[in-house]
Amino acid sequence: EQRREFVANVSHELRTPITSIRSYAETIEQSLEDMPKETVLSFLGVIINETDRIGMIVKDLLQLSQFDSGRSDMRFEPFNLTDSLRRIHQALILEAAKHKMEMTLDTSEDLPMIEGDKSRIEQVILNIVSNAVRYTPEGGRIVISAKKAEDKVDIKVEDNGIGVPEEDLPHIFERFYRVDKARSRSMGGTGLGLAISREIVVRHGGTITIQSQLGRGTAVTVTLPVRQGGGEAA
Ligand code: ATP
Ligand code: MG
């Protein structure tokens, strides 16, 4: 049943951009002579954007399918989480400022090195912070924080955005699940970000949880073991 639903979702997600590409291309083909150059360029822009969107969906699906079949190549190595958080903060602070949002980073001094797949963990955090930006109205506030808790590290991303209705919370990590499909899609969302994030976190022996209040804000917490296999910290 789940597989059937998944295939239906994939087909639907791909059909929308394909339909749009087809109709823009067809319009150009039929009316090129009568179209002002700017119109042609703007139609081509749509075609390029929609093609990119299909590319992104397919990339996400490939990643999920690699996880499903156990073919994902996780590369565990010790890395400095504080550096990763700083990079992500730096990368998104401009985007946040564009929406008049304040984005702060608050990490404790004693954060240990993490043993994990650095680029995948960064992908997880980037997904979560991007969600906070995407689902928080102008003027909002986002706090990224990390602190050590015994042999684990808690990474938390809080926003004071639109929040998630209580009845949607249990489904939020499901593939393609979006609270407001139209709103999310118009912002480029496919509903795969949190599903992929959970796969990655679970493969690190960690957990990912969400707390949210509609209209008040959301907090997503990723807890990662400091060391794979739970050995003594050096
Ligand atoms: P994608 O990440 O694939 O581009 P997406 O952002 O829609 O698309 P997810 O990141 O998986 O997908 O999130 C699933 C849904 O959870 C979102 O569509 C949104 O409805 C809700 N959501 C996620 N994060 C937040 C948040 N910080 N505040 C409010 N709603 C959120
Ligand atoms: Mg997302």
Side-chain angles (χ1 to χ4, degrees):
E1 183 56 36
Q2 250 179 2
R3 183 182 305 241
R4 218 197 301 270
E5 197 178 309
F6 181 68
V7 172
N9 280 331
V10 171
S11 314
H12 179 79
E13 290 302 325
L14 293 177
R15 199 175 53 199
T16 312
I18 289 171
T19 306
S20 147
I21 289 171
R22 156 109 213 158
S23 60
Y24 279 96
E26 198 171 54
T27 309
I28 296 174
E29 186 197 40
Q30 287 168 355
S31 331
L32 185 59
E33 310 291 278
D34 320 318
M35 285 168 83
K37 192 174 172 198
E38 307 84 74
T39 313
V40 178
L41 285 175
S42 102
F43 282 17
L44 289 173
V46 173
I47 291 172
I48 290 169
N49 279 338
E50 296 291 272
T51 310
D52 286 349
R53 180 166 171 76
I54 294 174
M56 255 151 53
I57 295 173
V58 170
K59 189 165 139 263
D60 284 352
L61 288 171
L62 274 174
Q63 193 172 12
L64 279 168
S65 111
Q66 281 172 353
F67 287 138
D68 290 347
S69 63
R71 278 180 293 114
S72 72
D73 50 335
M74 291 278 183
R75 276 205 305 268
F76 291 101
E77 54 174 10
F79 70 95
N80 187 320
L81 181 64
T82 308
D83 286 350
S84 296
L85 291 171
R86 286 206 184 109
R87 258 199 308 279
I88 292 166
H89 181 241
Q90 276 301 310
L92 286 175
I93 200 165
L94 279 182
E95 176 69 16
K98 241 198 270 172
H99 303 279
K100 305 198 168 51
M101 284 178 205
E102 185 193 353
M103 184 185 283
T104 55
L105 174 63
D106 173 17
T107 63
S108 56
E109 289 297 316
D110 63 341
L111 271 196
M113 299 282 280
I114 292 281
E115 192 176 322
D117 189 314
K118 179 174 152 216
S119 71
R120 289 223 159 86
I121 292 298
E122 289 183 350
Q123 180 188 354
V124 168
I125 301 165
L126 197 64
N127 274 344
I128 297 169
V129 181
S130 307
N131 280 347
V133 174
R134 190 183 275 172
Y135 304 109
T136 299
E138 262 200 15
R141 181 182 41 75
I142 295 166
V143 181
I144 308 165
S145 61
K147 65 175 199 305
K148 187 169 176 265
E150 291 176 31
D151 52 353
K152 297 186 167 70
V153 168
D154 287 330
I155 306 153
K156 196 171 184 179
V157 179
E158 293 166 275
D159 66 60
N160 61 350
I162 62 174
V164 177
E166 202 177 335
E167 65 266 26
D168 292 297
L169 281 175
H171 304 289
I172 216 80
F173 295 102
E174 291 169 11
R175 295 173 186 189
F176 292 113
Y177 196 87
R178 287 163 294 195
V179 174
D180 181 341
K181 282 199 186 288
R183 180 185 181 130
S184 161
R185 196 182 290 127
S186 75
M187 294 196 243
T190 347
L192 291 173
L194 286 179
I196 291 174
S197 298
R198 184 175 62 176
E199 295 282 348
I200 294 171
V201 170
V202 165
R203 271 163 181 75
H204 279 78
T207 57
I208 181 168
T209 56
I210 184 163
Q211 290 167 295
S212 190
Q213 270 189 301
L214 192 59
R216 304 284 299 269
T218 302
V220 176
T221 307
V222 172
T223 301
L224 293 174
V226 171
R227 289 202 143 209
Q228 294 301 317
E232 290 284 299

